[in-house]
Amino acid sequence: MPCSGFSKPRLRFSPTTLDSKIVGDEVMAFFGAPFQPEDHTTRTVQSALEIVSGTQPCPENIDGLPAGGGIATGGVFMGNVGEGEVRDFTVIGDTVNTAARLQSLAGPGEVFISNETFRAVLADVNKTESRTLELKGKEEPVLAHEIKVAGNPLLSVSKSKFLSLR
């Protein structure tokens, strides 16, 4: 699915994608609330891979956008943040921050997933490289897994089945 870019991001979760928005040069989305399908983590990884894949260089000599992604699984605070006219329905917390930090370290065509996410999708992800990363705001190093977009089998099934993302 190369060359699709962000023009049609495929957040394959409706109605469970409650929040997806562009924040600066990132796309932020959260999945699994208020409904949590059994395969919600796999769908999340597939969405990230599909979006990152769509930003990669194209055979038609289109340069692409050097994009990578980050995914973390865990609890968040979800609700209206702010007061008065400056309110936003969003998610915040350590899981959100971890996803953003993983995304910031991902290179073009890569998606870093937290160890919690990896354990949930282990049966669906056949090839990853484990890395211990120092993340801003974390006292201890974090175990993460790098998934490459190129040749990933999750991309071939995502069309039939179903992000801090930069």
Side-chain angles (χ1 to χ4, degrees):
M1 132 149 22
C3 307
S4 64
F6 286 117
S7 62
K8 296 179 185 174
R10 299 178 190 220
L11 303 176
R12 298 175 179 274
F13 242 87
S14 186
T16 58
T17 300
L18 289 181
D19 187 26
S20 64
K21 58 186 163 190
I22 296 176
V23 181
D25 63 349
E26 300 177 2
V27 173
M28 179 183 152
F30 70 87
F31 300 90
F35 308 104
Q36 198 170 61
E38 187 176 312
D39 62 348
H40 76 280
T41 309
T42 299
R43 290 184 189 197
T44 304
V45 172
Q46 286 175 319
S47 292
L49 288 170
E50 194 168 309
I51 293 169
V52 170
S53 172
T55 66
Q56 300 310 294
C58 301
E60 297 89 17
N61 280 336
I62 299 172
D63 289 340
L65 177 69
I71 300 171
T73 302
V76 298
F77 169 80
M78 176 175 59
N80 288 315
V81 176
E83 58 183 81
E85 290 184 28
V86 184
R87 288 183 156 210
D88 190 23
F89 185 82
T90 194
V91 292
I92 58 175
D94 186 57
T95 301
V96 177
N97 293 338
T98 299
R101 302 294 186 230
L102 290 172
Q103 174 274 314
S104 71
L105 295 175
E110 300 173 342
V111 175
F112 279 137
I113 62 174
S114 69
N115 197 48
E116 293 80 8
T117 304
F118 177 73
R119 288 195 313 259
V121 299
L122 184 59
D124 297 318
V125 177
N126 64 349
K127 216 175 187 185
T128 66
E129 179 182 327
S130 299
R131 296 173 68 184
T132 303
L133 302 172
E134 300 282 335
L135 301 182
K136 182 179 175 184
K138 296 281 193 179
E139 292 182 18
E140 299 292 322
V142 172
L143 179 61
H145 303 270
E146 176 186 341
I147 303 174
K148 298 278 189 189
V149 168
N152 195 297
L154 278 176
L155 279 172
S156 61
V157 298
S158 70
K159 289 181 184 176
S160 62
K161 286 187 183 174
F162 322 94
L163 55 133
S164 174
L165 187 63
R166 182 182 201 150

